[in-house]
């Protein structure tokens, strides 16, 4: 009996991934460390001074973590309900946070009890920040107001009530100590000057604003809301420069790297996108397990911390740079040691011993060897194989068709299995490498299950999807043929013109030669 030959899976060339400097730079992080918090992480803020600890706001607590610690080195828990937006002052000595009860608390990093409490909001305060003069705090709450507070006297300086919905984000200018910005769910971003009694600029984002960010120069403003990240020129009166739509769900947080040349955005679609601030194109992206609520990058991009909706804190540290000095390792054997004897030719009196190589068959090969066609097809219709290696599924279908058992393998299936088959065929039939095999499979499925059409809404829907996919592909092919016809006509016209020009040149040359001979 002849040995069984495994199914030959057609290998297709893959396009190599484009490796850029950004790819190498942002891949230079270690395996992430996962830290479980008590609730969804709504804010992460790094201290601006060494050793660059970071404050994590989750549930009713604020945890201070060291750069490499997996346990909090300090905890502020003097909150009756949820805490929001713990933010460091520029000198790293004070920490301000909002709360569900509408009270803003100011903490000294070296203490535990609040130094000051600012009461004036009637609803939860979700955004708190320091102005660049270090002696004033701005805040925004669900009572639609944006307030300014004096730290030494713990009193309210001014209150703005210009938003028509919750104020959920804000930032302060590092250039002007009187300017701060707030974003609201009323789709607007407002720029306030503490010297005036009303906002000096209003920008319409178009969606509920989840995050705002001001560039260090103070000239560019970034707003995030819905699926959009928009960049505005503040110096030109809030002119829109670019609108980015690279996320599939709501963008929740923004961040700049230490040089200000890269913009990071986190979203509920579990991705962090990194943009170049010159071209505003995505140069890299990170993928996470669940939806992202907060994001922070340490000075010099040494640590990237992401907070998620399930209360998990994801911390990535940069790999240390490789030292140029050669480490003293144990000397390895030379290359010739490994290849020694490979070119040896046995002599006539030598006795050669060959070790048989054991072949490990895949599950579908074992089933095909035992002529279990239906089970072999089931084995390659599992989601991991269909999604990641569809060429294996198609190769088994082709082998079953060659054996003449494809129809029997496709027959006798229930509603769920037929739905799975049709989903795969409808998705992959338009790929040129799979089209010849899957068209045959689609014909057989249609012939086999035509009598039961109309009995299952799910199967009928998949048949309609298959019909739509094939119809679109036929339309594309017709359009391509029309374009090819146009191109052939143009090329033929160019060829005729070129031939005519050559003939004219030849005839002119002969005439000139004849006239020259006559002159002689």
């Amino acid at each position: 009996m002849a040995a069984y030959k495994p199914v030959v899976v057609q290998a297709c060339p893959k396009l190599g991934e484009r490796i850029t400097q950004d790819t190498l730079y942002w891949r230079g992080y270690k395996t992430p460390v996962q830290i479980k918090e008590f609730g969804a992480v709504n804010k992460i803020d790094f201290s601006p001074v060494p050793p660059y600890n970071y404050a994590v706001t989750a549930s009713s607590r604020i945890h201070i973590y060291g750069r490499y610690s997996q346990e909090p080195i300090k905890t502020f828990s003097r909150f009756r309900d949820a805490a929001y937006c713990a933010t460091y002052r520029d000198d790293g000595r004070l920490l301000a946070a909002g709360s569900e009860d509408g009270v803003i608390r100011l903490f000294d990093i070296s203490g535990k009890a609040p130094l000051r409490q600012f009461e004036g909001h009637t609803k939860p305060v979700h955004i708190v920040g320091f102005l660049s003069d270090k002696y004033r705090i701005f805040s925004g709450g669900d009572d639609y107001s944006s307030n300014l507070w004096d730290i030494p006297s713990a009193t309210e300086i001014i209150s703005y009530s210009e938003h028509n919905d919750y104020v959920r984000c804000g930032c302060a200018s590092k250039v002007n100590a009187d300017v701060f910005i707030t974003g609201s769910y009323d789709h607007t971003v407002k720029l306030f000057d503490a010297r005036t009694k009303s906002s000096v600029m209003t920008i319409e984002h178009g969606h509920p604003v989840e995050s705002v960010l001001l560039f260090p120069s103070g000239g560019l403003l970034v707003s995030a809301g819905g699926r959009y990240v928009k960049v505005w020129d503040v110096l030109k009166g809030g002119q829109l420069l670019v609108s980015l739509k690279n996320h599939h769900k709501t963008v929740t947080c923004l961040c700049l790297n230490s040089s200000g040349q890269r913009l990071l955005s986190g979203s509920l679609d579990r991705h962090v996108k990194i943009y170049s601030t010159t071209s505003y194109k995505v140069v890299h992206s990170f993928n996470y397990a669940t939806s992202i609520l907060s994001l922070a990058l340490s000075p010099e991009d040494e640590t990237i911390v992401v907070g998620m909706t399930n209360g998990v804190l994801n911390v990535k540290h940069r790999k240390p740079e490789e030292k140029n000095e050669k480490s003293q390792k144990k000397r390895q054997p030379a290359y010739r040691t490994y290849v020694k004897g490979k070119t040896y030719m046995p002599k006539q009196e030598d006795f050669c011993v060959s070790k048989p190589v054991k072949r490990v068959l895949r599950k579908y090969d074992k089933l095909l060897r035992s002529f279990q066609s239906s089970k072999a097809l089931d084995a390659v219709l599992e989601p991991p194989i269909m999604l990641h290696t569809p060429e294996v599924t198609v190769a088994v279908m082709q082998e079953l068709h060659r054996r003449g058992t494809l129809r029997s393998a496709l027959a006798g299936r229930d509603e769920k299995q037929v739905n799975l088959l049709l989903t795969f065929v409808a998705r992959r039939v338009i790929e040129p490498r799979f089209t010849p095999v899957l068209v045959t499979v689609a014909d057989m499925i249609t012939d086999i299950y035509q009598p039961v059409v109309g009995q299952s809404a799910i199967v009928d829907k998949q048949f309609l999807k298959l019909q739509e996919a094939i119809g679109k592909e036929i339309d594309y092919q017709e359009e391509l043929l029309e374009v090819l016809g146009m191109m052939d006509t143009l090329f033929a016209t160019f060829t005729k013109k070129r031939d005519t020009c050559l003939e004219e040149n030849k005839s002119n040359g002969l005439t000139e030669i004849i006239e020259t001979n006559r002159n002689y």
Side-chain angles (χ1 to χ4, degrees), residues 219-352:
L220 295 179
L221 171 69
V222 187
S223 61
R227 296 169 55 191
Y228 294 89
V229 175
K230 297 184 179 182
V231 183
W232 313 85
D233 191 336
V234 178
L235 301 180
K236 289 186 178 180
Q239 179 183 345
L240 178 64
L241 295 181
V242 64
S243 179
L244 308 172
K245 190 182 178 183
N246 297 98
H247 287 282
H248 302 296
K249 292 184 179 180
T250 301
V251 183
T252 55
C253 48
L254 296 170
C255 176
L256 276 175
N257 75 332
S258 54
S259 65
Q261 296 180 355
R262 296 292 180 266
L263 173 68
L264 286 76
S265 65
S267 168
L268 296 179
D269 63 3
R270 304 182 296 106
H271 287 87
V272 171
K273 304 282 184 181
I274 303 171
Y275 309 87
S276 167
T277 53
T278 53
S279 63
Y280 292 104
K281 293 183 178 179
V282 177
V283 295
H284 194 70
S285 65
F286 292 109
N287 187 17
Y288 289 88
T290 55
S291 300
I292 297 167
L293 280 183
S294 52
L295 166 70
L297 199 59
S298 70
E300 300 179 359
D301 306 340
E302 197 277 334
T303 307
I304 180 169
V305 185
V306 171
M308 291 174 274
T309 53
N310 61 352
V312 172
L313 200 64
N314 187 292
V315 185
K316 290 182 180 179
H317 298 287
R318 183 165 291 283
K319 296 175 183 176
E321 295 182 0
E322 295 181 358
K323 297 181 180 179
N324 294 329
E325 299 178 2
K326 294 182 179 179
S327 58
Q328 295 181 355
K329 294 182 179 180
K330 186 178 178 181
R331 187 177 176 183
Q332 300 293 330
Y335 175 70
R336 61 176 179 271
T337 306
Y338 295 105
V339 298
K340 187 177 180 181
K342 285 198 171 184
T343 57
Y344 176 77
M345 297 296 293
K347 297 178 182 178
Q348 189 174 3
E349 61 271 13
D350 290 342
F351 180 76
C352 298

Side-chain angles (χ1 to χ4, degrees), residues 16 71 94 162 199 238 277 287 402 449 465 479 487 503:
E71 295 291 335
L94 295 180
E162 298 190 18
S199 62
T277 53
N287 187 17
R402 187 189 67 81
Y449 296 100
K465 284 185 179 180
E479 290 177 8
M487 293 174 67
E503 289 176 3

Side-chain angles (χ1 to χ4, degrees), residues 16 19 68 79 96 111 119 221 255 287 304 320 343 365 373 380 393 411 484:
I19 304 297
Y68 299 102
F79 295 92
E119 299 180 2
L221 171 69
C255 176
N287 187 17
I304 180 169
T343 57
D365 276 319
S373 305
V380 294
T393 306
L484 285 173

